[in-house]
Amino acid sequence: MLIIIFAILVLELSVGVWIYVARNISVPEIDISGVTVFTPPNDLPPFDLTDHDHRPFDNHRLRGRWTLAVFGYTSCPDFCPTTLAEMARLFNRLSQSPEAGQAPQFVFISVDPYRDTPEQLASYVGYFRPDFLGVTGEAGKLQRLNDSLGIHFEYADPDTNLPIRDVQHEPSIDHYIVDHYSGLLIVDPRGRLVATLLPPFELERTLDVYHQLRNHYEGAS
């Protein structure tokens, strides 16, 4: 009898472990183009940046709530302001229809630290929503973060279209442009990159992706 009871306990434990593992490695099937879901979610490497209030912004600032983040720069002529306007519409919708749990945060990561001071970032992101967060840091730290994500940024001369590949030093021209990753990073409350979404960021499309990811990973926790 003891052997039978022990075998049942082992079986129940095995089934429980299998269910736990399956739920945590399963991937939400999102039938939307431009979505990449990571299995398992990617742990972000240590990073050390600064927000627009001169406070440190590191991995710990991503814990405890969902985060949506994009790379860009405040002198961007078209893509960045369009993206932030779309994000403002998204967050307005989320604030009008509050979900269970804490609302996500939005982070705009500038890869142009030579021109984008904390004050400049505060004014820029605050124009779209007062709770948006602007972040930047030393060029080397930004490059390491981009490299760890498998993406890049570089500066270019808009008159010649020639790249200025040395991002470790401020370009010698004032009107340079910045080529940067255009996708939306979706980070879970454990600070893990769970997915990316490529533009366009239409409201219903982006909202659908966010809801599916949140429901999946919170249901598996």
Side-chain angles (χ1 to χ4, degrees):
M1 180 63 68
L2 289 176
I3 294 175
I4 294 174
I5 293 174
F6 179 75
I8 292 174
L9 290 174
V10 170
L11 178 61
E12 289 180 346
L13 178 62
S14 300
V15 170
V17 170
W18 181 86
I19 292 175
Y20 174 82
V21 172
R23 291 177 68 185
N24 281 275
I25 66 172
S26 63
V27 181
E29 297 181 1
I30 302 178
D31 188 20
I32 298 175
S33 63
V35 179
T36 299
V37 180
F38 300 103
T39 308
N42 290 341
D43 290 322
L44 293 175
F47 60 86
D48 177 22
L49 303 176
T50 304
D51 72 15
H52 68 238
D53 290 322
H54 297 272
R55 298 179 301 167
F57 188 87
D58 55 19
N59 302 72
H60 297 289
R61 297 281 297 275
L62 299 177
R63 296 186 178 274
R65 63 193 299 186
W66 285 84
T67 299
L68 306 182
V70 296
F71 290 94
Y73 64 114
T74 65
S75 302
C76 178
D78 43 31
F79 173 77
C80 296
T82 299
T83 296
L84 266 69
E86 290 168 330
M87 290 298 107
R89 286 192 289 272
L90 173 69
F91 277 73
N92 289 341
R93 172 71 70 83
L94 290 173
S95 66
Q96 293 167 5
S97 303
E99 304 170 275
Q102 192 175 25
Q105 65 176 340
F106 176 76
V107 181
F108 177 78
I109 307 172
S110 171
V111 286
D112 186 11
Y114 306 111
R115 294 181 295 193
D116 289 346
T117 63
E119 293 74 20
Q120 174 72 10
L121 280 170
S123 175
Y124 186 76
V125 299
Y127 172 81
F128 297 95
R129 267 185 71 98
D131 57 349
F132 281 2
L133 190 62
V135 170
T136 191
E138 298 174 5
K141 294 179 179 180
L142 291 166
Q143 186 174 43
R144 285 192 292 274
L145 176 59
N146 275 252
D147 289 345
S148 69
L149 295 172
I151 58 180
H152 81 289
F153 71 98
E154 66 181 15
Y155 307 139
D157 185 336
D159 297 328
T160 64
N161 291 322
L162 294 177
I164 306 170
R165 299 189 184 279
D166 181 14
V167 299
Q168 300 290 335
H169 298 87
E170 184 174 2
S172 58
I173 58 176
D174 295 330
H175 60 295
Y176 60 89
I177 59 176
V178 185
D179 177 26
H180 58 85
Y181 177 67
S182 61
L184 178 70
L185 280 61
I186 305 175
V187 181
D188 73 1
R190 294 170 60 182
R192 305 176 303 173
L193 180 64
V194 299
T196 58
L197 173 65
L198 295 178
F201 302 123
E202 292 101 341
L203 175 60
E204 297 302 332
R205 174 175 178 263
T206 308
L207 194 63
D208 188 11
V209 172
Y210 171 69
H211 279 156
Q212 290 193 54
L213 289 168
R214 181 168 181 165
N215 292 339
H216 174 83
Y217 286 103
E218 290 189 353
S221 61

